[in-house]
């Protein structure tokens, strides 16, 4: 079992970027910062850090949210038998029309969370609140459609690798000492505006839903505060929810989420595929990604593509 930690005093923060800010530390992305990263990348080799979407894939269902579903809406034979379009029978037989649809929780697969995902007592980042800013279908503030194209320095912190294990133990909380140890062994540092990606090794059991999803190792609040203090812009992990599970705090089942979103304006990326980078000991990369612009959503699919630094 996780050790109990006394909960902190919790409240949302005003943004240093002004009363209308909805993207927090993503404001650190500038034309100059993008140009610097682009100039540093070795584009001869690329890595896709996203997982594939398929029926039965591990996803967050603990609160009753729907798993990934895909179904055919048109099949070649069905289309020739149905009278759904103003087309000739010969034409329908000729073109072999197929179509499909998907349904999923917006936090399924590799995705980025937005600041309206969690808050404190009805308020979210920059003191936006449910009384004024929550609509019938979605929040009217802090949606992923506002996120810029992410071009930034990415740093892999292979905590499992630094400890000489394939995967950290269940429920292990990654704190300041673990992160400092990893950075020292890898010879890397965190700079302002970085995307920090934490490897727990959980993807070594992917796609086993039971082993991947339950009692996950992950970042604890001490580790989150440490990386935020170093200037990290985004924090990501290879596990189900970035932070350790179950929560060590009695009344806050996602203390890292609420801290990062509501207090310091740092988005979270979850379910990153970091195995290839770790295997090749590539710790510093150019990170490029764009959130699916689902207006007002609490999260959105993201396909991160990274390039090793020269």
């Amino acid at each position: 079992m996780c050790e109990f930690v006394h909960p902190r005093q919790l409240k949302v923060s005003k943004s240093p970027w002004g009363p209308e800010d909805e993207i927090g530390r993503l404001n650190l992305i500038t034309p100059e910062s993008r140009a610097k990263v682009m100039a540093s990348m070795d584009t001869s080799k690329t890595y896709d850090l996203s997982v594939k979407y398929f029926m039965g894939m591990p996803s967050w269902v603990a609160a009753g949210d729907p798993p990934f579903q895909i179904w055919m809406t048109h099949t070649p034979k069905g289309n020739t038998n149905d009278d759904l379009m103003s087309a000739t029978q010969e034409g329908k037989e000729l073109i072999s029309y197929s179509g499909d649809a998907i349904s999923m929780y917006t936090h399924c697969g590799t995705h980025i969370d937005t600041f309206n995902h969690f808050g404190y007592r009805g308020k979210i980042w920059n003191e936006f609140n449910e009384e004024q800013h929550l609509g019938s279908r979605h929040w009217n503030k802090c949606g992923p459609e506002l996120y810029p194209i992410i071009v930034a320095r990415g740093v892999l912190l292979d905590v499992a690798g630094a400890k000489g294990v394939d995967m950290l133990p269940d429920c292990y909380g990654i704190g300041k000492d673990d992160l400092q140890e990893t950075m020292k062994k890898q010879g890397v540092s965190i700079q302002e505006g970085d995307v920090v990606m934490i490897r727990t090794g959980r993807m070594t059991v992917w796609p086993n839903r039971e082993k991947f999803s339950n009692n996950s190792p992950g970042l604890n609040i001490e580790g989150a505060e440490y990386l935020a203090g170093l200037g990290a812009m985004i924090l990501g992990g290879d596990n189900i929810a970035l932070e350790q599970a179950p929560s060590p705090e009695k009344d806050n089942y996602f203390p890292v989420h609420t801290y990062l979103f509501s207090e310091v304006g740092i988005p979270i990326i979850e379910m990153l595929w970091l195995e290839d980078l770790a295997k090749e000991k590539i710790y510093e990369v150019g990170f490029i990604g764009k959130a699916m612009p689902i207006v007002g959503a609490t999260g959105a699919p993201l396909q991160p593509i990274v390039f090793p630094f020269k």
Side-chain angles (χ1 to χ4, degrees):
M1 293 294 293
C2 294
E3 181 183 355
F4 174 73
V5 177
H6 190 72
R8 300 167 295 123
Q9 296 297 315
L10 312 172
K11 63 179 182 178
V12 300
S13 297
K14 292 183 179 180
S15 172
W17 289 280
E20 301 303 317
D21 173 54
E22 301 179 50
I23 65 171
R25 291 198 185 183
L26 293 181
N27 283 287
L28 294 173
I29 300 173
T30 65
E32 293 76 21
S33 71
R34 284 196 184 107
K36 182 179 179 180
V37 171
M38 296 291 286
S40 301
M41 297 189 311
D42 176 5
T43 57
S44 65
K45 194 167 189 179
T46 62
Y47 297 83
D48 185 345
L49 304 189
S50 61
V51 298
K52 296 179 174 65
Y53 288 77
F54 54 90
M55 292 281 290
M57 67 183 295
S59 63
W60 180 261
V61 294
D65 296 292
F68 177 80
Q69 299 284 337
I70 183 169
W71 62 95
M72 300 295 294
T73 59
H74 297 283
T75 63
K77 176 54 69 175
N79 196 52
T80 61
N81 294 334
D82 292 336
D83 186 22
L84 299 178
M85 300 176 64
S86 57
T88 65
Q89 190 68 16
E90 291 77 9
K92 290 188 289 185
E93 293 174 357
L94 172 65
I95 66 173
S96 297
Y97 175 31
S98 290
D100 46 29
I102 64 171
S103 172
M104 67 179 197
Y105 186 40
T106 53
H107 300 267
C108 181
T110 307
H111 64 277
I112 190 167
D113 292 348
T114 58
F115 299 143
N116 55 34
H117 189 29
F118 284 97
Y120 294 130
R121 301 177 183 86
K123 291 184 178 181
I124 59 174
W125 170 249
N126 211 10
E127 298 190 334
F128 298 121
N129 62 81
E130 61 180 340
E131 294 295 327
Q132 297 174 289
H133 306 115
L134 181 60
S136 298
R137 301 291 182 178
H138 56 74
W139 279 88
N140 295 319
K141 294 290 184 180
C142 299
E145 77 281 5
L146 302 173
Y147 281 7
I149 296 173
I150 300 167
V151 179
R153 177 178 180 256
V155 177
L156 169 64
L157 297 183
D158 183 4
V159 180
K163 294 185 178 297
V165 298
D166 292 331
M167 181 174 65
L168 296 176
D170 281 3
C171 194
Y172 187 89
I174 300 170
K176 178 179 178 180
D177 289 346
D178 302 299
L179 297 167
Q180 288 182 330
E181 174 192 28
T182 303
M183 292 163 62
K184 183 178 180 180
K185 288 185 176 181
Q186 293 182 182
V188 298
S189 61
I190 305 302
Q191 303 169 10
E192 183 179 74
D194 283 350
V195 178
V196 181
M197 302 172 290
I198 300 168
R199 180 178 177 269
T200 68
R202 206 64 168 179
M203 278 292 172
T204 58
V205 298
W206 177 270
N208 184 304
R209 283 181 289 178
E210 183 73 18
K211 292 181 179 179
F212 179 81
S213 301
N214 297 328
N215 299 317
S216 176
L219 193 66
N220 64 23
I221 191 66
E222 178 193 78
E225 290 176 338
Y226 174 65
L227 292 174
L230 294 179
M233 179 177 69
I234 299 172
L235 297 185
D238 63 348
N239 54 342
I240 190 72
L242 178 67
E243 58 189 285
Q244 71 179 124
S247 168
E249 295 194 10
K250 182 180 178 181
D251 296 319
N252 187 346
Y253 57 88
F254 271 149
V256 172
H257 277 65
T258 49
Y259 165 72
L260 292 176
F261 298 159
S262 304
E263 299 184 48
V264 290
I266 294 179
I268 289 173
I269 301 174
E270 293 162 337
M271 299 173 69
L272 285 165
W273 179 260
L274 303 174
E275 294 305 296
D276 297 330
L277 291 181
K279 182 178 180 180
E280 298 186 33
K281 300 186 185 303
I282 298 173
Y283 303 127
E284 188 178 10
V285 296
F287 181 105
I288 299 177
K290 180 69 175 76
M292 184 182 291
I294 309 172
V295 174
T298 62
L302 178 83
Q303 184 174 20
I305 305 297
V306 302
F307 302 83
F309 268 13
K310 298 174 183 176

